[in-house]
Amino acid sequence: MIDEQDEIARRAASLLQKDSNIDINEAVLQAKLHLGLPRDTPPPSTTLVRRHAQALAMARLGQEGYAQQRYERLVTIIDFIRQLEHEFPRARLALVGRASEGHFDADPHVRIRFVADTPIHLIADVLVRAHLPDPEIKTFASRVGVLEQLHSAFDFAPLTITRCPPLQLTHAHLDLQTGKPLAQRTLLQLEQLLTR
């Protein structure tokens, strides 16, 4: 059973490396089908898939190349958050989720929390001026109510900015959907992460 899950995870990681348009769940499903396993075969954990994806990236880029790629991606995100902070000095910004730890393997996503009452179209203007793909505005039903989001992308990962009115964001350290604790870093904390 463990070997089977490891093989599914390895195959899913390989698929994710070849096609950045699929997510982990789809990659796992395709891996099971490719290996001739039934659809109801228990899936490996996303952590296991990501471990294999990291190993594949390190094998392809080498240790130094992998570290350099991670560094460059963090610098891109930091520069963008700096631009947002410059435009909106009263907003509180944080990078949340796996990207805040510097992890971009297997189905990466850059998620930024923008805590302020700033109209969403003004934030969208900054994305356009930053030469990111035209942002799409959507609403998101969170555990703290309906929030507005901007969806765009860096060249290495999709970007989602969630605008959280301060009075609505009751527990800033929790996931907006699940309510579980969430990794996050401010601009200063991200800059400190670069020096590690």
Side-chain angles (χ1 to χ4, degrees), residues 88 90-92 114-120 122-123 148 163-168:
F88 308 105
R90 292 193 178 130
R92 291 191 332 263
F114 187 103
V115 183
D117 289 315
T118 307
I120 197 80
L122 295 179
I123 307 167
E148 290 179 307
R163 185 185 67 96
C164 304
L167 295 177
Q168 220 169 323

Side-chain angles (χ1 to χ4, degrees), residues 88-129:
F88 308 105
R90 292 193 178 130
R92 291 191 332 263
L93 296 159
L95 180 64
V96 299
R98 294 180 67 250
S100 71
E101 301 291 332
H103 298 301
F104 302 102
D105 299 304
D107 198 15
H109 202 119
V110 176
R111 291 181 171 86
I112 296 173
R113 270 206 198 148
F114 187 103
V115 183
D117 289 315
T118 307
I120 197 80
H121 72 275
L122 295 179
I123 307 167
D125 289 344
V126 176
L127 273 77
V128 171
R129 288 197 307 275

